[in-house]
Structures are given as C-alpha cells and as structure tokens.
C-alpha cells in the first residue's frame, strides 16, 4: 500500500496544510472562545484531500480537536457570548472537523484503491503483451520472470513449469546466479515442492541463508523476503513462480501476483501445447516418409511375388510344352532316320555330279586360257600395224601435218603401246595359267644378272632422282640353277614397280641365303608402301582395290600376279612386307636348285573370298597430307615478337608459318605503331588470340596444323574474340568464304608491301569503327518504330524504311551491317527484294534477318535460307530472339565488300577451272550444311542443286533435263536415307558411273565401308573439311 | 587393391573399340562395372578375358554385350515437370523458328521421342519439326521405331502425361492389341531414327532443341565434355538443351556456352 | 574442413522402419564428425522425396540429394534421389544411373554399397537397417569382402527384420548391433572424425 501513498505530490501542499493548521490554531488561541474560528480548519482538511496519505486528514482533525479544546481553556472569554453557546459552538466544531476528516480519509483511501487496480490491470496487460507470440516455453518463461521482477522491483526470480511426471522444471529465470536454484522439484521437494503440494502462495520473511542469492558485480546478498506462488488455471497447477525481494512484500504485490497467476498458467499451457503440436507435426512428417517407404516395400514384395508366380506359371507351361514336344520328337525321330537314309543316297549322287561339274569348269577355264594364249598372234598383228603407222604419222616426215595432228598421232602411238603392254601381260598370265610356260633351268651367275639389271634401271633411277643399289650378301652363293629368263622377268617387274612407287629415297636389290638351300632376292624401296589389307590384293589379277593408284602410276597391274605365278613355276614364292609411308620389301625366295617336278598348273581357282576393303582414298589423302605437314610444326616462338613487353592497346597478332614473311609483317607492324605477336601454327594463333586479345589479327590461310579459315571461324564464334578484326593474307582460294566468315579483308600472296600496309590500315579503320548500322524494312509504321526502339543503342544506329524500293535505295547509297526484313511489303514481296539484292552487283548484301508474321512452307524457307542468315516467326518471344540475332550478326559478319574486293572475288571464282560449269547435287537435310557447302562450291563456278532427302535426290537425277556431274550424299536423312538412295542410283544403268561422295557423321570404319559397298565412290567425314572436300571433288569429277 | 576384373575391363573395352568401333572407354566406371558383371554372368563367361576372346571372334556376342552396355530404363514423360516447363517456357520460343529440328541423343527405347512428338503435336509444331532420334544400339532403335510398348506401362505413362500438361488422353495416340500399345504412325513420320554415337561421331545438323536426359550420367567427365561440346556445336544460337533432373553443366568446360533457362528443370539456352 | 581429402565414408541402407532409426543416428553425431554419409532408403519412385528435409531437421550435418558427378564433401549426408540408383565413383564423386531396378528397388542399396566398396575398400563403414526385403545383403557382403566394416541393425530391434536378417545370412562377418551401439560406434570411430593435421591411423 505504501507504494501508492508515497507517490509524488507538490511539497507545497503539506506545507500549506501545516501552515494553515498552525495559523488556525494560533487564531483560535488568541481569539475569544466561542468564535467560529474552527471553520478555518476546513481549509487544511480540504487541502489534505489532495494528498495521497489517508492519515493526513486525521492529523488535521486531531490538531483541530486539540486547538478547540485548548481554546476552551486558554482563550479569553467573550463577554457578550453565552458560555453555553460557545461550548456548543466548539462541540459542533469538533464534530464537523472530525466528520470531515473522516470523509477526507475515505476519499483518499478510495483514490488509492483505484490507483492500485490500475496498476494491477496495467501489469496484466504488459504481461500478456510479453507472453504473446509463438514462443517456446523457455523463451516465454524467461520473459515472464523478467517482466514480473521488473514490475515488482524484485531483483531475482525463477519460473518452474510443469514437466512430465508432475515434476516442475526450471523453465525461466531472471538474474539468477547459476547453480543457486534447483533445476526441478517434485511435490514436497524444497520450497517450490511445498507450493506444488499445497497449491498455495508461500511468503517467507525470513529467508534461509544462501537461498536464491542476488548476485551482482559487487557481491551476493540474500533477498529479504521471498514469495512463491502457484500459477493455476482450471484447477490445474502449471507453474510456480519464485521471486526474491529486498523490501517487504506489499499487499498490492500479492494482489498483482494473484491477478496474473492464471494468465501465466494459461500461457505456459498453450506454449506447451504448441511445442507438443510441433513435435507431433515433425513426427507425422517422418511417419509419412516412413509410410511411403513401407508402401514402396509392399509394392516391392508384391512385385516380387507376382514375378515368382509368373515364373512358376511359365515353368509349368514350359514343362507341359516340353512333354508334348518330347512325344512329338520321338515320332519325328523315326521319320527322320528314314529320310536321312534317303538323303544320303541323294548326296552321293549330287557329289558325283559336282565332281563332274568341277572338272568341266577347270577344263573350260583352261580352254579359255588356251584360247587367249593362242590369240596372241591375232591380237598383236593388227595392233602392230596400228603402232607402226601411228609412229610414221607422228614422225611427220613429209611435214604436211599440223602440229595438232602430230600430237594426235603421238597419242595414238603411246596409247597403243600401253595397250600392247596390257595385252602382253594378259597373255602372259593366260599362258601361265594355261600351263603353257615351260621353265628351262640352267646355271646362272647372280653378279652377271645384277649387272644386266643395273644397266636397265640405272638411267630410270637417275632420272627420278632415286638411289639404286645391288648387293650380294657374303654367304650368298654366286650361282644358282633356275630359269634365268623368268627370274629376270620377275626381278624386272619388282624393280620397276619399286621405282614407280618411290618418290624419294632409294631402291635396292639384295641377295642372300635363307634357311635350307633357299636364296632370297629382296627388292626394297622407300616408297608409299602398302597397307596390310592391300598386301594380299595386289597379287590378285584384275583386282586392284584402289583404282586411283593405277590411274596415278600407270601399268596394267598384272605384273605382280604374273611374277607370283612365275615364281611358283620356279618352285619359289614371293612375299611382301610393307608399312604405308615407310616403304615395301618384296622377297623372292627360290630354291638353290629347281624342284624335281614343278607343280602341274592348278585349275582356275574359285574367286577369292572378298577380303576387307582397303582404306579408301580419302583416308590415304589425309594420311599423306599429315605426313607432308608434320615436320613443320614449330615448338618455340620461331620469330621473335613482343610478347614479353606488351604494353598499350595497339597489338596485332600475326599467324603465318612462313618465318621470313612473318618477320616482314612484324617489322611492318612496328612501323605502324603496333606491338606484334607471332604465331606459326593455327593452334598457337588461337591460343595467343585468346590470351592476349589483340586489337587485330593478320591470318594466313595455309597453316601446318589447320586451315586459317577454321581459325577465323573459331575466333568469330567465341564471345571474347568475336570483335577482333581479322585480315587474311594467303593464296586467294577462300577469299569469299573468309569475308563471309567475318574477315575485314583479304590479300593474295605474293603480297606487295603496299597491300600489307593496306591491311594494317583496314585493321585500324575497323578499330575505330564502332557504330554499327542496321536497316529495318517493315511496312507497318507502329511495328517499324518499335523495332527501331528495340534495336537502337549507342553502338547501333538503326535506319528504317517501309517499302522495298526505299530499301534498295538505302542499300545502294550506304553499307549496312545487318538488315531486318518483313516479307510483306507494299511494292514488292520480301522474296523478290532478296532476289533483286542478289542479282545486282551494285547493292551491298548485308546479313539479312527475315522477321515475318506468316508461317513458311519448306520450299519458301529453303528459298529464304539462300540469302537470309536467320528467319524469325513473330510471336510472343520473337522480339527477344530478334535482338539476339541482330547482336550476333553485328559482331559476326562483315557486310560491305568494297568494289575492288568484289572484282577480286570474281577473279577468284574463275581460278578453279575443275568445277566451272559442273553441276553438283547436294543431298542433305541439314540446311546449315547445305548452304555452307554451296557457299564454297558456287564461287568456284559450280552449279549447286539441293535435295533434302534421298527421294528428292533421285527425282532430281531422273528429271529429263538433269545434268548432274557429281553427287554429295549425306547418309542420315529423313524419308530415304543416303545408303538406300545410293543403291537406288546405282541400280539405274545410266548412273553407274556417276561419281557419288558420301557425307557421314559417323566415325566407325564399318559405316564408311557400308557407303562404299552401297556404291559410293568415296566418303568424307562431317563436319566437312572444305579443303579436303574440294580435293575429293576434283579427284572424282569427270574432266 | 586392383582385382583381375579391374585389369581386364580396360583391355576388353580397348578390344571392343579396336574391333567394332564402339568406344566405352570413357563410360562412368561404377555403372559400367555393374553392367559388365551382369553381362559376364549372363553370357556365362568365367572372366572378362574369356569374354574378350569370345567377343573378338563372335560378332553376335558383341550385339548381346551391346544390349547390356547401352539400354537403360526410361519412361514416357519422365519427370513431368520437365515437359511442363518445355511446354510453358520453351515452346513460345520454338514458335519463332520457321522450321524446327529436335535432337534426342541416346533415345534408347523411344519413350522420350514419343513424348516429345506428342507434346509438339499438341502445340501445333510437329508439322514443321524433324526429330532426330539417335542411339548407338541399332536393336534399340529398331524397337523405338516400331513404337510398340507393353500395355501395362500405359497407366503410369498416362498419369505422367497429364502431370506434364497433356491436353487430351494419352490413349488418343495409340491403339491397343495383343497386350501392347502401338503409337500412332503419324507421330513417327516426323522422326528420323538413326545410328549415332556421342562417343565417336560428330555433329550432323543444326538443331533448335536437344533433350538428352539421363544419358550423360553414364559418361565420365571427359566424355560428358565431348558430348556437351557436340551439343554446343549442334545448337543454333538461342537453341535449348534439356538435361536430366540430376545432371548439370556446372562441371563442364562448355558451361560458358550455355545460360540457365529454367534452372530447376535443367533447361539451358545456347548463347 | 572442405580442404581435407575424403579418406573414408559411411553408407547406410534401409527400408521400412529405417528412416526413424537413421534420424536418431544422425542426431547423435558429434561436432567433429567429418566423413560423408551416403544413404539409400527405398522411396516411392515417381514423386519428389521429403526425406532430406525430414532427416535434416534432426541432423546437425547438411542433408541433400547429390547431383551427378558431384564430388563428395566431408560432413555431409547425401540421400539417393527417387528413381535413380546412386553410385560412388573414384574421385570420390557420385554417379547416378537409371538402370533396371535391383530387387524391384530404384534406388537400390546393393548398387550403392558395391560401388562404395569398390572405391573405399577398407575405409568404409556400411550399415544395413530395418527393412522387408533382401536388397542390401549382397552389397554388405561386397563391403565386407573389400575389408570394410559391415554392420546391421540387430533384427530383434528392427521394425522389420527381413533386411537385417538377409544381410547377416549373406555376410556372416557383419556385426549386429542395437541402435545405441551403432550411434556410439559412429560417435567414437576415429577415422570418421576430423583430424587436426594428422594422417589416418591405417
């Protein structure tokens, strides 16, 4: 109660009360008794009502009583006043002042009570505020303890909440020193336990020493008073709060505690519920997972059972079937043994027949060979006269033939000679096979033979710049017995072959003793060699696997077959040992003396089983290319450059494998104020470009490891290097392609100094030119403006027009980096506009992006793809794609070709005569690939037809006006694939010889073989290496 | 620590590659070993060396081995959320191309192929689309091309089809007979089934969309990179790549070529 | 901790009745537990799993489904995603596969255990928990054959005893243990804990 009495009030008020009381007292004493001075006591009395002490009015009342009584004894008496009346007056005064002071006290008391209620209500409110929210029990208890301690000015407190098994756990504390209060209490254990048992408030004014000490930095004291009270809701004890006070505990404190006990109990309970609920939730979730697992397990077991059941049923069915089968088999076996008997006799008859057939065949073959052998005379005679007459004509003794006619005659003569050699070979072979070659063994001096051979071949070797050596090993017998003519024929053949197939190095003939009584004659060369697969084939008549070899080196290809046959006649054999690229060794093994009986001529052998097809020409071409190029790969920077001190922004990368020329370029770069990096291979070039990001690149097309074009393409494909201007310097094979790939210029070797200087200027120009120009052609004004807004940026300037005419006008006047075209235009369709742009040389032809609202047919798309780099159908996401594509092309493709470059391109086109006016059919459904190929082939003067699948290819070929010279056939196509198409083409007589090159993305050798077996002449792997393809086409295209 | 099996495995793979051109040398080891052990058991070979000997002599055995090494289980509309994302996020972009090419490498039994064809048909894009369905296993390709699936799987497929935003009933796309479901021939008209290996072959066409889901998980890092390189060079600028739900480009050197498009469905976009 | 090489690992497999046990094991791990833990629990194949979340709530270690080719990180729990087999490759890194289910289960415990045994050999602890089929038994044997420690939840304590019993039958070297003993073993095994710069004791 004191809490509320001692609250502030102005100090003036008590002073005024005391003064007014004293003044009245004094006045009462000095005035006559019986005067109504006591009325003045009403002033302090009423003043005291404003104070908070209920005792004050009583004190004033006491003072008034004293004053009135004193006045009775002390005050002078008023003469005129009856004494009785004065006493009455005083008595009234007494009664009134006491009455009033009692009223004043009651007033103050009720004010204080009001105030206390307020305080308690406020306490309740604040408590409920701090116990709001979803707090866990610990948090909540801490908050409650803290609040109550603060509100009641208790320095220490703890809250125990009911836990499991009626134990009360310490859940929250306030300023409690660790270890000074029990963690939990059961009923009857300690003070808390006592409260638990009694469920009644416990108040201790004598606190046991050390209980609930108040600890601070200054030390520990024990609280003077201790209150423990139970938090009960619905007759259920949920918690016990223990508070330690330093001051005596007032009634209001207890009232407050009584008022908050239930809310505290309720919040403890709901917090406990919440925690429980959460735990339950987690548990449920885990149980749900567990349920899933169990369900899965059930499914598994079920499936397993079903599977077993199925297996059982199957086994049973199987058994039944087996039994039935057994019975059936039994009866069948009997039948079979009967029929076997019959078959055996039939077989015997058939065998006899076969033997007879084989005899007939052998005889027929011998007849054929004999016929051929007999023909020798009849064939040679007319040919001889042709030869002689042609020679006579060629000599032009009379001088009456024109130069051309002489040349023709000479051609007849030389072709005739070739024919004669071929006939001779065929006849030789036929004679051998017919068994009409007789051998006449006689003693032969090897050194002598070698001399003869050397005389013949020395000049040939010298002419071809090859070494030629003959050696007799020390242990080799000098003479041997054999047919000298035949031996010489064999060796001549081997030697001339060796010389023919050797480009550099040497050819040697060496004789030595091998094993028991055998002489080995080895002809060794350093020529192109023979792959293992071909080593068998070369000995077979009429079966040169690789037609191109024959075409290149001439000859009938029968020499080796004849040699082998002859060697057999001599009782020996020929073997070959070779490695492609390294050279070959042909070894003729002969017995020192001829065998007693030379084998009788074998009847014609059945055609040999088809062996594996040898590596196709394309592979060998590649291998040869690699062989030629390999040695030039450089390891260190071959030309000294500035990579050690690259400062400033102007640096140029020179990619050139000609070291001298690279040096020239470097010096020139220095002159132009560029730092210079030099790479000698494509790989190094790319690496340096990525690492140093030069401001420009001078790029040679022909590099040892890869084409410069592919370097260019890769530079343009990579984000980081896309912007770098590249100038090509090389032989002009690929000018247009390079420019289309994004080169800024192209100079043809050999280059003048001025041209190189120009190249540097172009690079510099390009460095400065940052603003890109885009032309938008769109008829709808709103759309046009929105496109301009979409594409415009500080690096992109957009011009826009609404008609095709305006577009052409713009293109004529200034170059653009990119054009966005709507197909629907008022004056001309977009297709026609593109046609016009393509036709007239006066228009620059920037990359075109077709932006259209209509869906396109396959044919329309194909037509557009010829000119347009990209086609976008308008729709929800099309603006994004448009922006994307435009950005891409602005970096990728250089649009404007200056005049002189255009004429240069035309020049280039004329240089490749092989393709001029040839018609190539490309059958491929990959549009990108088709146009990439077309863009390489068309500049070379070739006409390109396109088919999107095998069916269309066939149709194109069968059109009456078709004049296709060569077909490039992709193997993977819809509707009719390439292999089927090739087979179909080959089935038609007039296309038997049409060259077909297969394109395949497959790496497996078997797929390539499959294409050859289907009838393709050659194949090339995707992605297509342009150089390789061109050389392949040149090989196959009819001249 | 190295068992005989560990020693023999690379030898066998080397032999298979040299003889038949199939290159499994960069398949992820753990799965490969499992499959190999199974094959060894079921082809009754005492050791891998025995199997090597037989595989080299009997091409027929190679085909059976190929079956063990390549075929994996798939489902139509596997991970329906993926197809839903394709439908909602990717298709609007696909509409901007005049004609479309879609490549499904490692298509195995064809479940993914038919799912894709149905989705494109429902979006009105199938007519201007060509789908390349490739695999190294010709037997699997033949099966995929036949378009025949056990009827028992249809319930599950149908459920997934609806979760993937299917607009009709899956049954509209197949006819039933003899316990099998035969998918509509018109779905196949726009599909080119072809033999192609991500291990050894190169890119063959420019495509706008590639979905290659749960194929890369069988490859090691090096081979994954090769395959992703192929995807990168096959996709046109702005084209899309969809991977399996647990596959990622994060470990590939080609990841700068791609940007996340629908990250949580593993759809990437070529940059 | 991320810089340390992964030298040992724990693999856990289970089915019906296993997730609760696993959750308890994970909750009991000490602060310095360092080995990665790979888990296969049979779950419905065609719906996303809430298992990582359910396990993660009581585990101090992060719990997640691994990506293909994701390297194993120390002190992390990896749960096989539904509809994929989970395997461990050299590296060590995870690999996934969609091969045929094993014992009708995808993911399969055998697949994880066998591949992990191959990579970790004797430095692997494998635990087979409660479940109702025999997936995991062959894997447990593979672990034991490779010198790893093979443990099963004591069948009499397991909610479903088929799986641990199959494990014990297939792999006689496996030790059966109560959950408390399993938890204690994981807590106290030295090689599974972070080492301050010293090498493994084997």
């Amino acid at each position: 109660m004191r809490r509320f009495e001692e609250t502030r009030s102005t100090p003036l008020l008590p002073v005024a009360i005391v003064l007014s009381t004293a003044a009245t007292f004094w006045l009462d004493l000095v005035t006559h008794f019986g005067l109504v001075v006591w009325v003045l006591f009403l002033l302090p009395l009423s003043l005291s009502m404003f104070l908070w002490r209920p005792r004050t009015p009583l004190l004033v009342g006491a003072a008034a009583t004293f004053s009135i009584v004193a006045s009775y004894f002390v005050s002078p008496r008023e003469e005129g006043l009856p004494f009785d009346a004065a006493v009455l007056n005083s008595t009234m005064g007494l009664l009134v002042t006491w009455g009033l002071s009692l009223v004043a006290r009651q007033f103050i008391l009720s004010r204080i009570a009001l105030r206390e209620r307020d305080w308690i209500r406020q306490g309740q409110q604040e408590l409920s505020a701090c116990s709001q929210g979803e707090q866990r029990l610990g948090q909540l208890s801490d908050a409650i303890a803290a609040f109550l301690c603060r509100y009641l000015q208790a320095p220490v407190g703890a809250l125990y909440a009911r836990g499991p098994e009626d134990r009360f756990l310490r859940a929250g504390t306030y300023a409690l020193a660790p270890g000074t209060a029990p963690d939990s209490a059961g009923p009857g254990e300690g003070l808390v336990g006592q409260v638990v048992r009694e469920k009644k408030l416990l108040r201790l004014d004598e606190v046991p020493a050390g209980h609930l000490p108040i600890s601070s930095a200054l030390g520990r004291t024990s609280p003077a008073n201790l209150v423990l009270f139970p938090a009960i809701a619905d007759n259920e004890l949920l918690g016990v709060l223990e508070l330690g006070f330093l001051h005596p505990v007032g009634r209001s404190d207890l009232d407050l505690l009584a008022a908050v006990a239930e809310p505290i109990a309720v919040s403890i309970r709901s917090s406990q519920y919440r925690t429980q609920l959460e735990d339950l939730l987690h548990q449920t979730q885990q149980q749900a997972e567990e349920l899933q697992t169990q369900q899965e397990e059930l499914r598994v077991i079920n499936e397993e059972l079903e599977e077993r059941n199925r297996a059982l049923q199957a086994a049973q069915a199987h058994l039944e079937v087996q039994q039935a089968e057994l019975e059936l088999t039994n009866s069948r076996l009997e039948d079979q043994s009967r029929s076997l008997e019959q078959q055996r006799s039939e077989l015997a008859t058939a065998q006899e027949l076969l033997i007879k057939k084989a005899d007939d065949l052998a005889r027929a073959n011998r007849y054929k060979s004999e016929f051929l052998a007999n023909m020798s005379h009849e064939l040679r005679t007319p040919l001889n006269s042709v030869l002689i007459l042609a020679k006579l004509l060629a000599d032009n003794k009379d001088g009456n033939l024109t130069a051309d006619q002489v040349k023709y005659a000479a051609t007849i003569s030389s072709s005739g000679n070739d024919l004669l050699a071929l006939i001779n070979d065929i006849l030789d072979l036929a004679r051998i096979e017919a068994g009409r070659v007789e051998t006449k063994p006689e003693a032969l001096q090897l050194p002598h033979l070698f001399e003869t051979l050397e005389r013949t071949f020395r000049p040939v070797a010298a002419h071809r710049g090859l070494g030629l050596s003959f050696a007799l090993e020390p242990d080799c017998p000098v003479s041997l017995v054999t047919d000298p003519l035949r031996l010489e024929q064999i060796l001549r053949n081997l030697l001339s072959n060796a010389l023919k197939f050797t480009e550099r190095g040497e050819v040697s003939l060496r004789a030595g003793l091998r094993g028991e009584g055998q002489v080995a004659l080895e002809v060794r060369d350093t020529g192109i060699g023979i792959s293992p697969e071909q080593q068998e084939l070369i000995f077979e008549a009429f079966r040169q696997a690789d037609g191109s070899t024959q075409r290149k080196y001439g000859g009938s290809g029968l020499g080796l077959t004849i040699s082998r046959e002859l060697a057999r006649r001599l009782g020996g054999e020929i073997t070959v040992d070779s490695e492609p690229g390294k050279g070959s060794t042909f070894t003729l093994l002969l017995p020192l003396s001829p065998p007693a009986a030379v084998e009788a001529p074998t009847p014609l052998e059945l055609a040999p089983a088809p062996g594996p097809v040898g590596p196709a020409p394309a592979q060998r071409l590649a291998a040869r290319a690699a062989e030629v190029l390999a040695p030039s790969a450089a390891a260190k920077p071959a030309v000294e450059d500035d990579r050690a001190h690259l400062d400033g922004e102007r640096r140029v990368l020179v990619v050139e494998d000609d070291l001298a020329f690279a040096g020239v370029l470097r010096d020139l770069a220095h002159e132009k104020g560029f730092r210079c990096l030099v790479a000698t291979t494509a790989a190094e070039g790319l690496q340096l470009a990525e690492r140093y990001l030069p401001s420009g690149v001078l790029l040679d097309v022909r590099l040892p490891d890869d084409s410069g074009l592919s370097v260019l393409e890769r530079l343009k494909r990579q984000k980081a290097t896309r912007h770098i201007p590249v100038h090509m310097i090389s032989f002009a094979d690929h000018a247009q392609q390079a420019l289309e790939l994004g080169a800024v210029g192209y100079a043809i070797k050999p280059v003048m100094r001025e041209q190189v200087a120009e190249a540097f200027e172009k690079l510099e120009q390009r460095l400065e030119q940052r603003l890109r120009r885009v032309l938008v052609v769109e008829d709808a004004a709103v759309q046009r403006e929105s496109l301009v807004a979409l594409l415009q940026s500080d690096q992109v300037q957009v011009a826009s027009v609404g008609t095709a005419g305006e577009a052409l006008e713009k293109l004529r006047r200034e170059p653009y980096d990119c054009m966005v075209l709507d197909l629907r235009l008022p004056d001309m369709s977009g297709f026609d506009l593109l046609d016009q742009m393509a036709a007239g040389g006066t228009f620059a032809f920037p990359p075109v992006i077709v932006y259209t609202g209509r869906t396109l047919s396959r044919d329309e798309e194909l037509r557009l793809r010829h000119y347009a780099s990209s086609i976008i159908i308008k729709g929800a996401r099309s603006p994004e794609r448009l922006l994307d594509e435009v950005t891409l092309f602005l970096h990728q493709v250089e649009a404007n070709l200056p005049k002189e470059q255009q004429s240069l391109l035309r020049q280039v086109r004329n240089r490749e005569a092989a393709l001029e006016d040839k018609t190539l059919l490309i059958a491929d459904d990959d549009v990108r690939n088709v146009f990439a190929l077309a863009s390489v082939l068309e500049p070379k003067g070739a006409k390109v037809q396109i088919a999107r699948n095998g069916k269309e290819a066939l149709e194109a070929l069968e059109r009456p006006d078709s004049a296709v010279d060569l077909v490039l056939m992709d193997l993977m196509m819809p509707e009719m694939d390439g292999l089927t198409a090739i087979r179909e083409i080959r089935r038609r007589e007039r296309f038997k010889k049409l060259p077909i090159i297969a394109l395949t993305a497959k790496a497996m050798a078997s797929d390539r073989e499959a294409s050859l077996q289907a009838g393709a002449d050659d194949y090339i792997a995707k992605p297509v290496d342009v150089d390789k393809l061109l050389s392949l086409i040149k090989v196959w295209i009819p001249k | 620590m190295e068992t005989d099996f560990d020693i023999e495995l690379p030898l066998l793979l080397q032999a298979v590659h040299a003889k038949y051109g199939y290159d499994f040398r960069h398949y992820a080891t753990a799965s490969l070993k499992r499959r190999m052990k199974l094959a060894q058991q079921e082809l009754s070979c005492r050791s891998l060396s025995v199997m090597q000997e037989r595989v080299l002599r009997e091409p027929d055995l190679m085909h059976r081995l190929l079956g063990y090494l390549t075929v994996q289980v798939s489902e139509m509309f596997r991970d329906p959320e993926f197809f839903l994302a394709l439908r909602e996020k990717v298709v609007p972009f696909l509409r901007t191309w005049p004609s479309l090419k879609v490549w499904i490498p490692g298509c195995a039994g064809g479940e993914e192929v038919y799912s894709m064809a149905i989705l494109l048909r429902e979006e009105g894009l199938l007519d201007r689309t060509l789908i390349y369905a490739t695999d190294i296993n010709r037997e699997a390709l033949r099966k995929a091309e036949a378009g025949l699936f056990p009827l028992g799987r249809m319930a599950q497929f149908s459920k997934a089809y609806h979760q993937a935003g299917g607009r009709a009933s899956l049954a509209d796309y197949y006819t039933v007979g003899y316990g099998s479901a035969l998918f509509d021939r018109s779905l196949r008209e726009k599909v080119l089934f072809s033999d192609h290996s991500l291990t050894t072959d190169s890119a063959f066409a420019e495509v706008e969309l590639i979905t290659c889901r749960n194929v890369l998980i069988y490859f090691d890092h090096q081979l994954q990179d090769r395959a992703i390189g192929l995807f990168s060079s096959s996709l046109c600028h702005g084209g899309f790549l969809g991977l399996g739900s647990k596959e990622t480009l994060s470990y590939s050197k080609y990841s700068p070529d791609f940007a996340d498009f629908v990250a949580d469905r593993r759809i990437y976009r070529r940059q | 901790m991320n810089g340390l090489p992964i030298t040992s690992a724990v693999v856990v497999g289970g089915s019906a009745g296993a997730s609760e046990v696993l959750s308890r094991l994970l909750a009991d791990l000490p602060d310095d537990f360092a080995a990665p833990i790979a888990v296969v629990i049979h779950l419905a194949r065609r719906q996303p799993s809430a298992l990582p979340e359910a396990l993660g709530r009581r585990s101090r270690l992060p719990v997640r489904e691994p990506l293909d080719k994701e390297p194993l990180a120390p002190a992390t729990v990896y749960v096989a995603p539904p509809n994929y087999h989970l395997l461990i490759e050299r590296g060590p890194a995870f690999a996934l596969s969609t091969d045929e289910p094993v014992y009708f289960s995808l993911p399969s415990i055998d697949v994880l255990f066998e591949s992990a045994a191959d990579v970790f050999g004797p430095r692997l602890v494998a635990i087979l928990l409660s479940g109702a089929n025999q997936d995991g038994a062959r894997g447990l044997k593979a672990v034991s054959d490779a010198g790893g420690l093979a443990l099963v939840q004591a069948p009499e304590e397991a909610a479903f005893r088929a799986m641990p019993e199959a494990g014990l039958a297939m792999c006689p070297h496996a030790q059966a243990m109560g959950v408390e003993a399993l938890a204690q073993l994981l807590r106290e095994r030295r090689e599974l804990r972070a080492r301050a710069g010293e090498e493994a004791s084997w």
Side-chain angles (χ1 to χ4, degrees), chain A residues 721-739:
Chain A
T721 54
R722 189 179 284 166
H723 66 280
I724 303 175
V726 179
H727 198 290
M728 309 286 290
I729 300 181
S730 187
F731 303 101
D733 292 355
H734 310 293
Q736 198 199 9
Q737 216 196 342
L739 294 173

Side-chain angles (χ1 to χ4, degrees), chain A residues 964-1025:
Chain A
V964 173
D965 296 293
L966 183 141
V967 180
L968 289 175
M969 179 78 73
D970 186 29
L971 293 186
M972 197 162 139
M973 288 186 293
E975 296 204 37
M976 184 192 281
D977 68 42
L979 287 181
T980 318
I982 293 175
R983 278 191 211 104
E984 283 295 317
I985 293 173
R986 288 300 186 218
R987 270 178 43 192
R988 289 156 176 73
E989 193 54 42
R990 63 192 178 106
F991 298 136
K992 280 267 189 282
K993 291 196 173 140
L994 177 66
I996 303 177
I997 298 176
L999 302 174
T1000 169
K1002 307 265 317 148
M1004 219 183 281
S1006 63
D1007 289 276
R1008 308 190 161 186
E1009 276 164 32
S1011 66
L1012 295 181
Q1013 269 162 16
D1017 294 290
D1018 212 327
Y1019 58 75
I1020 185 163
K1022 281 178 155 194
V1024 172
D1025 178 320

Side-chain angles (χ1 to χ4, degrees), chain B residues 67 71 89-90 120 151 180:
Chain B
V71 173
K89 308 263 171 62
V90 176
L120 291 174
L151 198 55
S180 291

